[in-house]
Amino acid sequence: MKKIITVFTLAAAFISCESSSSCTKDQETCKKDEAKQEVTSDETLVGNINAFEENLAAFNSCKQTTTGKGKCKEYIAKAVCEYYGIEDLKDGSNYVDYDKIPKKLKELESWENIGNFDEENINTALEKLNNFGKPVLIFNEDASYVHVVALKPNGKSVKSGKWGNISVPACISYFPRRKDSFTEKGLNYAFKSADDLTIWTKK
């Protein structure tokens, strides 16, 4: 006995529905509002990202071609201002000399002192630097010779045995007297000790 298999073809009908848009009344205005909400990486970049390297080259050139005391003292302030697109470290049209930066920071309401150099304060400074794009400056207090450095954004931190095994962040350092200035080495290359260091950051 033969089995007769009957195949029924079923036709499915699909009804497409148009999705409603909240921008139907004023497409141009709506698109502009949506565009404002989009945050791109370009919007977070302010200033010149090569400022530290360019100013180091200019600083070294200045030391070779300029004679006398008090020469080439404005380059760390210039580099910080250009990198972050700020004018905090300027007096009029001139950049502040490095040895006058501590006094300048204390006069600015837009900057704050985080405290002495220790693990907790360094972590706070690095959070402001890397997560919020705030410049961080470190200098030595109670010394006849003042030196100011800027922390390197997204730089590496290494533990220093001489500094109590604390994590030492990378910094930018322009030495007026030494010949080994750099744009990314540990803070312990810029200072002999962490004892009298203080940390400042833009609010």
Side-chain angles (χ1 to χ4, degrees):
M1 188 175 178
K2 294 183 179 181
K3 294 182 179 180
I4 301 175
I5 302 174
T6 305
V7 180
F8 294 92
T9 304
L10 301 177
F14 297 94
I15 301 174
S16 61
C17 298
E18 293 184 356
S19 59
S20 60
S21 172
S22 60
C23 296
T24 52
K25 291 184 179 180
D26 190 346
Q27 292 285 351
E28 191 65 27
T29 302
C30 185
K31 288 179 181 179
K32 288 182 179 179
D33 291 340
E34 289 177 346
K36 289 179 182 178
Q37 296 176 1
E38 295 180 359
V39 178
T40 64
S41 58
D42 291 338
E43 290 175 335
T44 63
L45 296 178
V46 179
N48 177 12
I49 61 173
N50 299 314
F52 293 126
E53 291 75 16
E54 291 174 358
N55 278 282
L56 175 58
F59 172 68
N60 287 332
S61 177
C62 177
K63 289 203 299 180
Q64 292 175 356
T65 58
T66 307
T67 58
K69 294 182 178 180
K71 62 180 182 179
C72 315
K73 299 173 73 173
E74 75 278 11
Y75 282 95
I76 189 66
K78 183 172 180 288
V80 171
C81 286
E82 289 181 352
Y83 184 92
Y84 291 99
I86 60 177
E87 296 189 348
D88 301 43
L89 303 180
K90 294 183 74 173
D91 278 333
S93 59
N94 299 318
Y95 292 98
V96 178
D97 290 349
Y98 73 87
D99 52 353
K100 295 180 181 178
I101 288 178
K103 181 176 182 294
K104 180 69 173 179
L105 293 180
K106 294 172 184 177
E107 295 172 351
L108 293 172
E109 294 183 357
S110 56
W111 285 70
E112 62 181 341
N113 181 222
I114 294 179
N116 296 329
F117 187 91
D118 59 33
E119 196 86 45
E120 182 179 355
N121 289 338
I122 278 296
N123 288 335
T124 300
L126 290 175
E127 182 181 12
K128 286 180 173 289
L129 177 74
N130 297 324
N131 295 346
F132 299 99
K134 303 293 185 179
V136 177
L137 299 181
I138 297 178
F139 56 88
N140 54 324
E141 292 186 308
D142 302 323
S144 57
Y145 170 69
V146 176
H147 186 55
V148 181
V149 303
L151 289 193
K152 179 76 173 183
N154 299 310
K156 296 180 180 179
S157 294
V158 294
K159 289 190 177 296
S160 172
K162 292 183 178 180
W163 284 23
N165 210 34
I166 193 173
S167 292
V168 178
C171 70
I172 298 98
S173 180
Y174 301 166
F175 298 112
R177 302 174 186 176
R178 288 166 50 176
K179 297 181 179 180
D180 56 342
S181 298
F182 53 80
T183 58
E184 188 170 6
K185 281 187 178 181
L187 202 70
N188 52 330
Y189 283 89
F191 299 98
K192 293 181 179 180
S193 170
D195 292 342
D196 61 347
L197 298 184
T198 186
I199 307 169
W200 284 75
T201 182
K202 189 173 174 65
K203 293 180 181 178

